[in-house]
């Protein structure tokens, strides 16, 4: 089984849709994805993800199933200094790396700022539904691996969001989402590819062959949008700090 996790194109958050650039990025996804034999498409209920998927779905002649848990990961909490925040993936590096539990795949949610805000409950809701979706496609979670009950070569596409993507990857790769949230960046319209490996009969593991791939943009003569990134050097005052 091949799993495609696709981040929405350049967003216009004010109207929960796409910018002019975002629509161009979504269009450049089409020639890449329409060549694949995509058997099922699932999409976030949020407008920017649905709009990104719409052009590909039209080209494929398919409809997507809207799944509530594919929305951007909800994570309102309060920093230890009392500042309110709504993105788990937006911490100054000197702050989050000072907490050893954030690196642990089980203990990352235990610091008071997360535990008091119910961050783990949101995480569990997402991965419970994610595991149910994979089971529907033949791969049943069993411990740290997936039991290949109906092994197949199907390609399944998920159109969603960066924060949510890292939650899904943390489940598949058995790592803390904090490490993924802060150590990776999937640009708008990027494609992450995971394929099952069944090296033992009936035992599958998802292996990531591409993360945040934007080759379709370069093929169309465009560079990835800056959304989701921060300044390369502190002196870059025209970039987000």
């Amino acid at each position: 089984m091949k799993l495609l996790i696709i981040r929405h194109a350049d967003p216009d958050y004010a109207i929960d849709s796409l910018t002019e650039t975002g629509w161009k990025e979504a269009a450049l996804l089409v020639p890449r994805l329409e060549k694949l034999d995509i058997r099922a498409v699932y999409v976030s209920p949020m407008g920017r993800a649905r709009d990104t998927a719409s052009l590909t779905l039209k080209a494929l002649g398919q409809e997507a199933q809207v799944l509530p848990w594919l929305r951007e990961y909800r994570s309102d909490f309060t920093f230890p200094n009392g500042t309110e925040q709504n993105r788990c993936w937006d911490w100054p590096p000197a702050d989050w790396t000072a907490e050893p539990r954030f690196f642990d795949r089980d203990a990352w949610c235990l610091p008071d700022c997360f535990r008091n805000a119910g961050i783990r409950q949101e995480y569990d809701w997402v991965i419970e539904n994610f595991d149910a979706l994979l089971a529907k496609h033949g791969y049943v979670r069993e411990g740290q691996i997936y039991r290949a009950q109906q092994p197949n070569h199907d390609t399944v596409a998920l159109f969603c969001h960066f924060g949510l993507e890292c939650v899904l990857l943390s489940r598949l790769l058995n790592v803390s989402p904090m490490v993924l949230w802060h150590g990776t960046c999937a640009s708008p319209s990027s494609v992450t590819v995971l394929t099952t490996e069944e090296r033992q009969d009936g035992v599958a593991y998802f292996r990531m062959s591409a993360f945040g791939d934007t080759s379709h943009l370069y093929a169309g003569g465009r560079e990835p949008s800056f959304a989701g990134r921060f300044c390369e050097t502190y002196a870059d005052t025209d970039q987000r700090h």
Side-chain angles (χ1 to χ4, degrees):
M1 174 184 176
K2 186 182 273 41
L3 188 64
L4 309 179
I5 304 177
I6 304 160
R7 186 189 174 192
H8 60 76
D10 191 52
D12 184 333
Y13 289 115
I15 60 172
D16 190 24
S17 183
L18 304 178
T19 63
E20 181 180 348
T21 293
W23 283 107
K24 292 177 181 177
E25 292 173 343
L28 289 174
L29 268 173
V30 175
R32 175 178 185 171
L33 297 180
E34 68 179 349
K35 297 175 184 177
L36 307 177
D37 182 18
I38 298 178
R39 303 298 298 274
V41 180
Y42 301 97
V43 64
S44 157
M46 304 186 83
R48 53 192 182 271
R50 298 181 71 168
D51 287 345
T52 301
S54 65
L55 302 184
T56 295
L57 289 169
K58 183 178 180 180
L60 294 176
Q62 296 185 27
E63 294 185 1
Q65 183 176 347
V66 178
L67 299 177
W69 54 272
L70 280 178
R71 71 188 184 201
E72 182 58 290
Y73 186 68
R74 291 184 178 176
S75 55
D76 295 337
F77 67 100
T78 303
F79 278 128
N81 65 7
T83 303
E84 294 184 355
Q85 176 61 282
N86 62 3
R87 296 183 298 273
C88 289
W89 47 94
D90 191 3
W91 285 56
D95 294 344
W96 80 267
T97 57
E99 171 54 76
R101 287 175 292 182
F102 282 149
F103 293 90
D104 187 289
R105 70 175 184 179
D106 296 315
W108 67 272
C109 55
L110 297 180
D112 290 343
C113 59
F114 278 180
R115 187 174 67 251
N116 295 339
I119 298 298
R120 182 65 196 224
Q121 286 85 342
E122 178 80 5
Y123 181 89
D124 288 344
W125 175 66
V126 171
I127 63 172
E128 179 181 350
N129 282 281
F130 184 42
D131 282 346
L133 179 66
L134 294 177
K136 173 184 173 182
H137 286 278
Y139 294 86
V140 178
R141 183 79 179 195
E142 189 174 283
Q144 311 309 319
I145 54 90
Y146 288 86
R147 182 66 57 186
Q149 289 193 346
Q150 295 177 304
N152 59 76
H153 296 280
D154 292 351
T155 297
V156 174
L158 310 177
F159 285 83
C160 54
H161 312 263
F162 171 69
L164 191 281
E165 174 178 353
C166 290
V167 170
L168 304 184
L169 291 177
S170 76
R171 181 61 166 173
L172 295 174
L173 304 179
N174 294 304
V175 298
S176 164
M178 283 292 284
V179 175
L180 297 170
W181 281 328
H182 295 89
T184 67
C185 181
S187 297
S189 83
S190 63
V191 180
T192 295
V193 182
L194 300 104
T195 307
T196 53
E197 287 188 349
E198 193 180 347
R199 298 174 63 182
Q200 299 167 285
D201 188 20
V203 179
Y205 198 82
F206 284 85
R207 193 164 190 176
M208 187 163 59
S209 58
F211 173 81
D213 181 48
T214 53
S215 57
H216 56 283
L217 298 181
Y218 289 104
R222 304 190 67 89
E223 292 190 359
S225 302
F226 194 80
R229 295 161 54 197
F230 293 88
C231 54
E232 187 170 352
T233 70
Y234 196 76
D236 293 327
T237 55
D238 60 334
Q239 295 180 349
R240 189 166 63 135
H241 283 64

